[in-house]
Structures are given as C-alpha cells and as structure tokens.
Amino acid sequence: MSDLSPSNPPRVRNISELARIAGVSAGTVSRALAGKSIVNTETRERIQALAAQHGFRPNQMARRLRTQRTNVIGVVIPLGHERRQHLSDPFFMTILAHLADAVTESGYDLMLSRIIPDAEDWLERIVESGLLDGVLLIGQSDQFEVIERVARHYRPMVAWGSHLPGQVHCAVGVDNRLGGRLAGERLIARGCRRIAFLGEIRSIELQQRYLGLQDAAAAAGIEPPVQLDTHLASDIMAAEIAGHLDRVIGDIDGIAAASDGIAIRAVRALVDRGVRVPEEMAITGFDDLPLAEQTVPRLTTVRQDLVVGAQAMVDALFRRMAGEDAPSVEMTPTLIERDTA
C-alpha cells in the first residue's frame, strides 16, 4: 500500500520537477525561491509553499556557482605573536559572539579559522580559496605587513586592530595608545611612581598600549615603565606573572596590564602574596570584558566597545564587498574606574 497522500506528498528532487507541479517554467521557480520581486507575490508564495510541501531544498552549491557568491564570511584569528593562545580566551569569545550575530543576522554563514602563520602566503591562501565572500581578521598579531600586502589587491577584508599613518588595510579598533595613556594617568593620579607594564609588545595593539603608558610617565616626569613580558596564553600566563611579581614586588607600586585577563591573574597573584589591592598595588586592565566587573575587587580597566566595534567591522566589510572604499574606524577608549585603581 502506497504511503503517498495529500498529507505526505512525494519529495521533489530538482527544480524541473517542482516547475512541472507548479505549472511554471524552471526559471520562474528559481527566481521565486530566491525571493526575486520579478515574480509576482502570489506566484512566488505558491511556489515557495509547494517547495516546502514537497520537501524541496535548492542545491546551494549550484546556486553559489551561478551567482559567484558563497554567502560565507571568514573569521580568521592569526596567532603569529602568541601561538599557544586558545579560542577560549575571553576576548576572542566575546568579540566572536558579536561578529557572529552581525554576520548571521545579515543572511551569511560564518567560517572560523585559527591560524598559526608559518607560511608567508597564509593569508593569500585564505582569500584566494574561493570559499569566502569576505574576511574578518580578529587582530593584526605580528602580521601587519602580510595584511598590508594582501589588502593592496583584495578589498573585502577588515581587521580588528590599530590604524597607523599610511595604512592600506581597513581596521576597526580603539586608539590603543590613548588607552595606554589613560591607564597610566589613572595610576599616576593614585600616587603611583614606579609602574610596570605586564604584557608582550610583539603585536601592534599591545605595543601601542605600552607606548601610551610611556607617554603618561613622561608627561608626569617619572621613570619610564618597566615592561615585563607576559604571554596571553592562559596555560603559561599565571607562572610568568608569579615570576615577575616575585622579582619586582617592593620595586613597583602600580601595574598597567595589557589585558583584563592578565590584570585578573595579577590581582590573584598579589593577594596570594599578601599584597593588598589597591592599597599597596594599584592595577588597571584593558578591554572591559564582562569578567572585569565580576572579579573581587572589581577591575579598573580601559574599555574598547566590542559591540560597536564588531558591528562597525561587519558594516565596513559589506560596504567593501559592494565595491565601496570603507575607511578604517578608530574608536575612543574610555577609562572605567572600579576598585583596583
């Protein structure tokens, strides 16, 4: 006995079969399923209803070949400066969530890649793969020149990071140098005179934060901050911070951390050593991630608005995909005063 009935119609395998059922041409079916206004509303809705009724899903690969679009945006995290950093890093997870919301709400899929750039042409391989309509880079890492080279011929690409004079590629991010200066000025206003920077300076963003801290120290007429190389990778960060503190406690009275993650670990290490925060050691972070307000004591930090920044990245990318020349966006950082400074 056949199980075919009005409530259980046969599945349709291709556009030609659906066109025969609908009594229209295959071209009309194709345009209706794509939502083209050239097909009148009644016909378009009837064809779409028949497609649903018969379980027909258009071949996405064929559509992509026909339109020369993949409807996929690549989100790439280059880790040349920090090979052991994980995608579970709170900064990555926060900005990735906002990018994913903005991309998918615009009707695109997202392809995520964590890249260790061992080959000189790693970025060319991505943009020339034919798999993507555009690329969003989370961070410039130590790959600034590579990004510049590719941006000269590949336009639909936007990076999260710093914008330097004469820069070719489009970047969205905070003024990191100003942010570093704000952190330094806050520590100095609290009376700090011997300041340390906890962070590496191989990536442009963190280097700019350190330069801003130097600016604040020079303006106040105090000694330049000491830079204590600290990785962002969580599996080695704690041990590095502990080692640094064991050497410099007593020689410094303020810490500007390159990130909220480093700052939070530093607070824990100081408390473990009986150093009161902020009474004996003031600390600032950078990012203003949700964790900054949840720690005890709450973290004084420099905010870079990741919600606004992620949306600006996606907006700039879509403009570039449409052939426009969207410029870089440099946001103004804000000092968020809480308990640690």
Side-chain angles (χ1 to χ4, degrees):
M1 180 177 178
S2 173
D3 63 351
L4 298 182
S5 68
S7 61
N8 189 25
R11 291 186 65 85
V12 167
R13 294 171 296 175
N14 54 54
I15 282 179
S16 296
E17 289 184 6
L18 185 59
R20 189 162 50 251
I21 294 171
V24 298
S25 69
T28 297
V29 169
S30 178
R31 288 187 286 273
L33 295 179
K36 300 292 186 181
S37 59
I38 193 173
V39 180
N40 71 67
T41 302
E42 181 182 349
T43 301
R44 187 168 66 246
E45 291 178 350
R46 182 171 65 85
I47 291 171
Q48 291 173 348
L50 284 170
Q53 181 183 357
H54 289 269
F56 176 68
R57 295 180 179 85
N59 186 305
Q60 295 299 312
M61 184 60 71
R63 183 184 65 80
R64 289 169 179 174
L65 289 172
R66 187 170 60 253
T67 62
Q68 296 297 299
R69 291 174 54 194
T70 67
N71 258 50
V72 177
I73 301 299
V75 176
V76 180
I77 303 176
L79 294 175
H81 69 294
E82 191 65 279
R83 293 168 175 245
R84 296 175 66 168
Q85 196 171 6
H86 305 295
L87 291 180
S88 57
D89 180 285
F91 172 80
F92 287 152
M93 294 303 294
T94 302
I95 192 169
L96 178 59
H98 296 311
L99 288 174
D101 287 344
V103 167
T104 56
E105 286 170 6
S106 298
Y108 283 77
D109 293 325
L110 183 148
M111 181 182 293
L112 176 64
S113 297
R114 175 184 178 271
I115 299 293
I116 305 298
D118 289 323
E120 178 67 19
D121 64 345
W122 66 270
L123 188 51
E124 279 92 347
R125 293 181 185 182
I126 291 172
V127 302
E128 294 170 5
S129 67
L131 300 173
L132 307 170
D133 289 339
V135 172
L136 295 167
L137 293 166
I138 301 182
Q140 295 151 320
S141 185
D142 58 358
Q143 300 293 303
F144 187 89
E145 294 304 325
V146 172
I147 300 170
E148 283 286 274
R149 183 183 71 234
V150 172
R152 290 186 175 93
H153 64 83
Y154 184 79
R155 304 296 293 168
M157 179 173 66
V158 178
W160 174 268
S162 295
H163 180 76
L164 303 181
Q167 180 173 312
V168 175
H169 72 270
C170 177
V172 174
V174 77
D175 183 338
N176 285 286
R177 187 160 186 164
L178 176 57
R181 179 165 185 144
L182 292 175
E185 289 173 347
R186 180 59 193 151
L187 292 172
I188 293 166
R190 277 195 52 87
C192 299
R193 293 297 179 267
R194 295 164 295 155
I195 299 174
F197 178 78
L198 273 180
E200 54 88 4
I201 54 174
R202 292 176 295 279
S203 63
I204 293 174
E205 292 173 84
L206 303 195
Q207 182 185 76
Q208 291 289 309
R209 293 171 195 177
Y210 178 54
L211 291 174
L213 186 63
Q214 289 182 318
D215 293 341
I222 64 174
E223 288 295 314
V226 58
Q227 188 254 330
L228 304 174
D229 206 61
T230 306
H231 287 79
L232 294 168
S234 59
D235 57 344
I236 56 176
M237 181 193 298
E240 287 182 334
I241 292 172
H244 291 320
L245 293 180
D246 287 340
R247 288 192 302 274
V248 302
I249 284 179
D251 295 329
I252 63 171
D253 55 11
I255 294 173
S259 73
D260 285 350
I262 292 175
I264 291 168
R265 293 292 184 103
V267 170
R268 172 61 186 271
L270 287 166
V271 171
D272 288 346
R273 286 158 176 76
V275 178
R276 294 176 300 156
V277 178
E279 292 84 0
E280 296 174 280
M281 186 79 72
I283 300 181
T284 61
F286 205 108
D287 288 330
D288 195 30
L289 299 176
L291 283 173
E293 197 169 21
Q294 298 167 12
T295 59
V296 179
R298 297 176 307 153
L299 186 64
T300 294
T301 187
V302 177
R303 173 181 292 167
Q304 47 181 353
D305 194 325
L306 299 185
V307 177
V308 172
Q311 187 62 59
M313 285 181 71
V314 174
D315 290 344
L317 180 66
F318 286 164
R319 287 177 60 188
R320 285 179 162 256
M321 287 163 53
E324 299 179 41
D325 190 20
S328 291
V329 176
E330 187 172 71
M331 302 184 296
T332 301
T334 305
L335 180 73
I336 306 300
E337 296 185 22
R338 298 194 182 100
D339 303 330
T340 62

